[in-house]
């Protein structure tokens, strides 16, 4: 869980405000339907293939985010203030 929660919450902070309603629905399904958070982590880091029912644009965004091309430190979850910020 140490790596999973910051990955998902930092992804959410960076992306939720610019997602379409359909993408938000796909993200909600992704984070709520798999029974194991480790599955999402393995799919995002490409350690395991993503099942067809979760292979979509949101999963592709999460995989790209997980690559951390900017080499940002991602060891802790963001503060929750971003949930109350107006959309950009």
């Amino acid at each position: 869980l140490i790596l999973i929660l910051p990955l998902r919450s930092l992804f959410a902070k960076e992306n939720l405000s610019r997602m379409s309603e359909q993408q938000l629905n796909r993200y909600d399904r992704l984070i709520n339907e798999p029974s194991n958070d480790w599955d999402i982590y393995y799919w995002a880091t490409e350690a395991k293939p993503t099942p067809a029912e979760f292979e979509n644009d949101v999963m592709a965004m999460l995989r790209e985010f997980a690559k951390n091309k900017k080499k940002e430190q991602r060891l802790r979850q963001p503060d929750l203030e971003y949930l109350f910020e107006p959309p950009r």
Side-chain angles (χ1 to χ4, degrees):
L1 273 170
I2 292 171
L3 298 174
I4 297 168
L5 292 176
L7 175 67
R8 284 194 348 205
S9 59
L10 290 166
F11 172 81
K13 179 179 181 180
E14 187 170 305
N15 292 282
L16 290 184
S17 66
R18 59 177 175 230
M19 284 184 178
S20 69
E21 183 175 347
Q22 293 83 9
Q23 288 174 316
L24 290 171
N25 289 334
R26 286 191 288 273
Y27 182 71
D28 183 66
R29 184 170 172 247
L30 175 67
I31 65 172
N32 288 303
E33 284 189 19
S35 60
N36 187 336
D37 284 335
W38 280 107
D39 289 335
I40 298 169
Y41 178 79
Y42 293 141
W43 303 336
T45 59
E46 300 181 87
K48 292 183 179 180
T50 304
E53 63 266 28
F54 296 109
E55 188 56 66
N56 55 50
D57 58 337
V58 173
M59 190 68 232
M61 291 168 63
L62 184 56
R63 273 195 304 269
E64 190 62 28
F65 184 80
K67 291 177 183 175
N68 196 11
K69 291 181 178 177
K70 296 178 187 176
K71 305 293 184 210
E72 299 168 318
Q73 184 176 354
R74 296 179 177 171
L75 299 176
R76 65 181 282 280
Q77 290 184 243
D79 295 329
L80 298 179
E81 285 87 17
Y82 77 92
L83 294 173
F84 305 103
E85 294 172 359
R88 295 180 224 158

